[in-house]
Amino acid sequence: MGAVWTIVTKDLQQRLRDKSVLIFSIAVPLALMTVLNLVIPTGADDVELEPVTVAASIDADDELADVVVSSLAGLSVFQVTVADSEDPRAAVDAGDADLGLIIPPGLTEDLRSGTEHSVQMVIGDSAGLSANILIAVTDGLLSEMRARSVSAAAAIEAGLGPEVAAQLAQQEVDAASAITAEAGAASDEQLSAGGALIAGQAGLFLMFTVGFGVLSMVAERESGTLARLRSMPIRPGSIVLAKALGAFVLGVLATSVLLTAGSLLFGVTFGNVGAVGVLVLCAVAAATSLTFIVVRLARTAEQANIVQTILALVLGMSGGAFFPIAASGALGAVLDVNPIAAFTRGLGITAGGGGLSDLTGPVLTLLAFAAVCLLVSRVIPDRGETR
């Protein structure tokens, strides 16, 4: 192992003295993050709920219809203005209202008797998220009213007194309200726009960074230093191992710097440091394993750089390094095994509060990618005759 560490130390010293490595591994991705952050608005993740104007047509003598309208007007999440209208649909078409509410006469009687009652809502073309929220609130309110009324009607029909029927109706409402929604699980959390930008760029340039380390073996093969190394009492596998370790250490350092600097510059938090560290190690292992295929395919350092660049760009773009890509079916399954996508997905989990136990999916994906690349590199012909 002494020879391995000697080669690793020598390679790292050469890479750290090489300004092009520092430029492409640290300076360029940070500059690109800054430019893209200017293109993507800082507040892109913030959703502002706009006020909504509702044109309502109800029977003034209908008690429960009036309750529905009063409840909507009393929402505190965003401003709701309810205006009486004889023709809500025309008001929406004319742009005087964002939402039209039409409650035909007889809502109270129908709910109490358990009869179906149709309520119409018309949404305008320019209505935003607030109007859709209002539709959902109205639907939930009517469902609650219906549940209470049906229970009361059933109790009265069964011969129970009005007070008992009212208690049963209240129990129905209480049971429904006992079903509560909890905050999303860690696996459902997504990175913010800034976080996705940092993660994507870090993953993309990781592909280039590890290439500097392992592809140096191709350059040494061309310059003849690899032959001199082989003439020394060192196992051929130790030379490959040393090159891989050098690339691995370089990738871990560069990715850690990018995530830390990106977090400080753009105010993004990726969560548990230990979990993020494990994710970085697995991502670097996956990226390093890919370079072994490149080394086997390329005859010269120039060919190796071209192949490495093509692979990095393809994986970066399909992995969402520049913009999110949504796909389903077979294409979605293929994109899910992309190491950059898995790395970004894992950071989304940790940013959402997830720990190491929540990273099973991304970690297994990255390790499986590394294993497949290593296997492929062993079975494809070595065009450079490095062995």
Side-chain angles (χ1 to χ4, degrees):
M1 288 298 292
V4 172
W5 288 115
T6 300
I7 298 174
V8 170
T9 304
K10 178 185 74 68
D11 278 358
L12 286 177
Q13 290 175 346
Q14 288 181 341
R15 300 306 156 205
L16 293 177
R17 283 198 295 265
D18 187 352
K19 292 182 180 178
S20 62
V21 175
L22 296 177
I23 290 173
F24 278 97
S25 300
I26 305 295
V28 172
L30 285 178
L32 198 54
M33 286 179 195
T34 304
V35 172
L36 292 176
N37 188 59
L38 293 175
V39 176
I40 300 174
T42 306
D45 299 317
D46 300 330
V47 178
E48 183 178 353
L49 297 176
E50 300 289 340
V52 178
T53 299
V54 180
S57 173
I58 65 172
D59 183 357
D61 297 329
D62 194 320
E63 180 182 358
L64 291 183
D66 186 61
V67 170
V68 172
V69 172
S70 300
S71 300
L72 296 181
L75 286 178
S76 58
V77 180
F78 49 87
Q79 182 180 353
V80 179
T81 302
V82 180
D84 294 334
S85 174
E86 295 182 356
D87 190 350
R89 191 181 300 277
V92 171
D93 292 340
D96 297 331
D98 303 303
L99 194 66
L101 175 63
I102 305 172
I103 302 179
L107 175 66
T108 301
E109 290 76 9
D110 287 346
L111 287 180
R112 286 175 177 171
S113 63
T115 305
E116 293 288 341
H117 190 91
S118 176
V119 174
Q120 299 180 23
M121 303 195 76
V122 183
I123 187 168
D125 295 335
S126 60
L129 179 61
S130 302
N132 288 284
I133 292 176
L134 212 55
I135 292 176
V137 170
T138 304
D139 185 61
L141 186 61
L142 290 171
S143 297
E144 183 175 321
M145 286 181 171
R146 177 175 173 76
R148 176 183 291 193
S149 299
V150 168
S151 295
I156 292 174
E157 188 174 347
L160 300 177
E163 294 182 356
V164 176
Q167 290 178 355
L168 291 176
Q170 186 60 46
Q171 290 176 0
E172 183 73 20
V173 174
D174 293 343
S177 61
I179 302 174
T180 58
E182 297 181 355
S187 58
D188 296 331
E189 299 289 349
Q190 299 294 323
L191 282 173
S192 63
L197 175 64
I198 297 170
Q201 294 303 306
L204 171 63
F205 282 90
L206 169 62
M207 297 292 172
F208 293 104
T209 303
V210 295
F212 281 114
V214 175
L215 297 181
S216 67
M217 189 161 63
V218 179
E220 292 198 24
R221 185 176 61 200
E222 287 185 303
S223 63
T225 54
L226 183 61
R228 288 201 294 271
L229 279 175
R230 284 179 169 178
S231 66
M232 300 175 69
I234 305 174
R235 293 182 179 177
S238 298
I239 299 174
V240 177
L241 176 62
K243 297 296 182 183
L245 283 176
F248 186 84
V249 173
L250 202 60
V252 171
L253 290 175
T255 305
S256 301
V257 170
L258 288 179
L259 292 181
T260 303
S263 300
L264 296 175
L265 290 175
F266 306 117
V268 176
T269 302
F270 289 110
N272 186 283
V273 176
V276 173
V278 171
L279 199 60
V280 169
L281 293 177
C282 295
V284 176
T288 305
S289 65
L290 185 64
T291 62
F292 285 106
I293 297 178
V294 178
V295 170
R296 305 274 292 189
L297 292 175
R299 294 181 186 275
T300 65
E302 184 179 5
Q303 288 181 0
N305 284 326
I306 293 174
V307 174
Q308 182 73 22
T309 300
I310 292 174
L311 290 175
L313 290 178
V314 170
L315 289 175
M317 296 188 69
S318 61
F322 295 98
F323 45 83
I325 295 180
S328 58
L331 179 59
V334 171
L335 294 180
D336 282 344
V337 300
N338 186 313
I340 296 178
F343 179 57
T344 304
R345 197 162 57 246
L347 288 178
I349 292 174
T350 58
L356 190 58
S357 59
D358 300 308
L359 292 175
T360 304
V363 166
L364 289 179
T365 300
L366 292 168
L367 294 180
F369 184 89
V372 170
C373 287
L374 289 176
L375 179 63
V376 171
S377 68
R378 299 299 299 173
V379 298
I380 61 175
D382 186 356
R383 299 181 63 193
E385 297 180 356
T386 57
R387 290 185 302 178

